[in-house]
Amino acid sequence: LLYILDQLYPEKIYPSKVALKELQDLEARSLNDSTIAKSTTVISIAFANVQNLTHHFQDVRCDYRLKRNDLLLLAETWIPNDMTPEETSRYSLQPYATNYCNVGPGKGMVGHSKEMFHLVSHITKPTYQMMKYELSFLHQRGQMVKCDVIGQYRSNNSNVECFVADLMRIIDSTRICIIFGDFNICTRKSPNNRIASTLLQNHFHWNPIRSTR
């Protein structure tokens, strides 16, 4: 119990400097962007180059940040294309549905999706892979919105013209479309590269992030 005699002096109430420093350290190390719980009104997607899922599956399985997403696409999975469904099932995650584009060393994709996402098509070529998902959600204005999400991984030695042709073939221009992944293109050296220019001509916004290497 706290007993206050006569009056309260607010200027005498202040936090411990040690406690403030500890709070700052905790916020800096926070894995959830300082939010206590994920909003149920947000749909989140993520892409990660795992550089051999056969070696790093436990890292993915234990990564809290990756598993917060509704759609998680992993590239450079290195899973052999001759693996049976029973053998590849070891790389599934709960509560996701898992789909595979297995190619072998240095390539391949795995998609982990929650029930709001539905895999509609995939392209598995020796030098690039694509996975297309669709989802529908109720907009805050009360309208149902249909959206496509295409994740892709492209090796730097792939034929650009073939890649662009396959990508454009699975794009539905009547729907919202988000394309993300690893294009393996240096936008500093080639700002007007074939892939970016094609997407821009088709009314996409090109938003490259900083290099991860």
Side-chain angles (χ1 to χ4, degrees):
L1 294 178
L2 176 65
Y3 294 96
I4 299 175
L5 213 57
D6 296 329
Q7 66 182 70
L8 180 67
Y9 298 91
E11 67 275 8
K12 298 296 184 181
I13 302 174
Y14 51 88
S16 163
K17 291 183 179 180
V18 175
L20 281 178
K21 178 62 169 58
E22 183 65 23
L23 177 61
Q24 292 171 353
D25 291 343
L26 288 172
E27 289 178 341
R29 297 198 303 269
S30 173
L31 297 181
N32 57 358
D33 300 326
S34 301
T35 57
I36 300 302
K38 178 184 169 185
S39 171
T40 56
T41 62
V42 174
I43 297 173
S44 58
I45 58 180
F47 179 94
N49 187 320
V50 292
Q51 297 182 350
N52 199 330
L53 186 63
T54 62
H55 292 165
H56 296 294
F57 178 67
Q58 291 304 318
D59 297 325
V60 172
R61 191 173 67 84
C62 297
D63 193 314
Y64 172 79
R65 292 165 296 184
L66 289 178
K67 293 174 66 178
R68 289 180 67 236
N69 294 281
D70 301 301
L71 175 63
L72 171 60
L73 296 183
L74 306 176
E76 267 198 57
T77 53
W78 288 60
I79 299 176
N81 57 4
D82 59 354
M83 266 194 170
T84 65
E86 291 74 19
E87 291 174 321
T88 55
S89 64
R90 73 185 70 169
Y91 303 113
S92 62
L93 288 175
Q94 296 297 329
Y96 296 94
T98 305
N99 295 280
Y100 301 88
C101 288
N102 297 334
V103 182
K107 305 172 181 67
M109 290 182 65
V110 172
H112 300 289
S113 57
K114 292 187 178 176
E115 59 183 9
M116 65 190 69
F117 286 92
H118 174 61
L119 181 70
V120 292
S121 64
H122 65 87
I123 296 174
T124 305
K125 297 290 181 70
T127 56
Y128 58 86
Q129 299 80 50
M130 304 177 189
M131 305 182 84
K132 177 181 177 180
Y133 289 83
E134 66 177 12
L135 75 153
S136 300
F137 59 91
L138 188 64
H139 191 271
Q140 60 183 5
R141 294 181 179 178
Q143 297 175 328
M144 188 62 69
V145 177
K146 295 182 179 180
C147 179
D148 292 334
V149 178
I150 300 175
Q152 58 76 36
Y153 174 76
R154 173 186 171 271
S155 300
N156 55 15
N157 63 342
S158 73
N159 184 295
V160 174
E161 293 302 323
C162 292
F163 175 86
V164 169
D166 276 339
L167 180 60
M168 296 308 298
R169 180 167 57 84
I170 63 174
I171 293 175
D172 184 345
S173 60
T174 65
R175 296 163 62 100
I176 296 172
C177 184
I178 301 170
I179 304 173
F180 68 119
D182 193 343
F183 289 94
N184 261 313
I185 291 177
C186 179
T187 54
R188 290 183 178 179
K189 293 181 179 179
S190 305
N192 298 315
N193 63 81
R194 179 78 170 90
I195 298 173
S197 61
T198 300
L199 292 174
L200 289 172
Q201 289 169 9
N202 285 273
H203 311 293
F204 282 87
H205 297 280
W206 182 258
N207 186 31
I209 61 173
R210 65 179 179 83
S211 174
T212 55
R213 295 184 181 179

